Amino acid sequence: MELFNYFRSSASYRVRIALALKGLDYVYRPVHLGKSEQLAESYAAVSAARLVPLLHDGDEALTQSLAIIEYLDETHPTQPLLPPTPAERARVRALAMDIACEIHPLNNLRVLRYLVRDLKVSEDDKNRWYRHWVETGLEVVERRLVEGLAQRPSIFCHGDKPTLADCCLVPQIFNAKRFDCRLDHVPNVMRVFEACMALPAFEDTRPEKCPDAE
């Protein structure tokens, strides 16, 4: 397998975590988003969306981090990242989407660049935008975790093993820390984050340990 990704991309980090949790080897292919390498014709030839991550698995070219992770879960079921029952899987997917669909799209690089370059938003106001959506979005995740604890004890987002939701949570916290977001209002989110970072799959794939880290 080949993974096209960028060390700071939270979506890429999600997939690196999933691959590590499943013990799968892959070739690391860096695509520098800061230098707009994803827009080059050479990358467009392999990715119609011109986004990362992109996973090549044989003849398959897979995009969108959640779809990639579910593909990995179906093709490599050891160390499953979704729980066994429909209701549990729905809860884990909802938690993942709270992050990947509600928080992340509002503060990814394309959006931040548009705010600054096209709408002429100041750097301070851009950062305020970022912190607002991350901090309020994580409040939703916190409430979901509290609801879950009322039903069952959990070390991670759902139960005693990492799931798709944890693959999404950890990269979002890394980004929140980069932008000095407030995190003391989400104690259960941070409890889960610390539990994840105690595992090699999360620690060894963190952004600063990637080959293209700056």
Side-chain angles (χ1 to χ4, degrees):
M1 288 189 283
E2 294 178 297
L3 180 65
F4 293 79
N5 74 160
Y6 178 51
F7 78 105
R8 277 197 186 129
S9 162
S10 57
S12 298
Y13 189 9
R14 296 169 195 160
V15 177
R16 295 197 303 269
I17 292 168
L19 287 163
L21 285 169
K22 290 181 173 294
L24 298 173
D25 294 327
Y26 61 95
V27 178
Y28 189 107
R29 302 291 190 199
V31 180
H32 200 299
L33 300 189
K35 298 177 181 177
S36 298
E37 289 181 356
Q38 75 278 16
L39 302 179
E41 289 304 318
S42 58
Y43 190 63
V46 295
S47 173
R50 302 190 184 191
L51 298 172
V52 294
L54 167 69
L55 182 72
H56 274 173
D57 185 16
D59 294 330
E60 300 295 335
L62 306 155
T63 60
Q64 291 293 345
S65 60
L66 299 190
I68 292 171
I69 293 171
E70 292 219 28
Y71 168 85
L72 292 172
D73 220 34
E74 292 177 8
T75 55
H76 301 275
T78 302
Q79 300 294 325
L81 297 176
L82 286 168
T85 70
E88 288 178 297
R89 289 196 295 274
R91 179 174 186 269
V92 167
R93 288 184 176 117
L95 276 163
M97 290 177 185
D98 282 335
I99 298 164
C101 301
E102 302 293 342
I103 302 175
H104 179 248
L106 289 164
N107 57 61
N108 68 22
L109 184 58
R110 291 185 299 165
V111 170
L112 300 182
R113 280 180 169 173
Y114 183 76
L115 288 173
V116 173
R117 294 178 181 178
D118 295 77
L119 300 184
K120 308 304 179 185
V121 170
S122 70
E123 191 70 16
D124 285 345
D125 283 344
K126 179 202 78 173
N127 290 338
R128 284 176 58 202
W129 164 282
Y130 188 104
R131 286 192 288 267
H132 170 78
W133 294 114
V134 171
E135 291 169 4
T136 56
L138 288 176
E139 287 176 1
V140 175
V141 179
E142 175 74 12
R143 291 195 295 270
R144 285 197 188 274
L145 294 180
V146 171
E147 289 174 352
L149 287 172
Q151 299 175 11
R152 58 181 291 176
S154 292
I155 297 172
F156 299 100
C157 284
H158 185 85
D160 59 0
K161 294 180 180 179
T163 64
L164 171 66
D166 301 282
C167 293
C168 292
L169 178 65
V170 165
Q172 188 60 65
I173 298 302
F174 266 82
N175 280 348
K177 289 184 174 185
R178 277 184 60 220
F179 280 81
D180 296 320
C181 294
R182 186 167 74 91
L183 295 169
D184 59 351
H185 66 310
V186 287
N188 284 286
V189 167
M190 296 311 295
R191 173 186 58 77
V192 171
F193 172 77
E194 295 298 336
C196 289
M197 294 312 298
L199 300 180
F202 293 85
E203 173 65 26
D204 294 346
T205 55
R206 57 193 294 162
E208 60 267 35
K209 293 188 177 182
C210 291
D212 56 334
E214 299 171 351

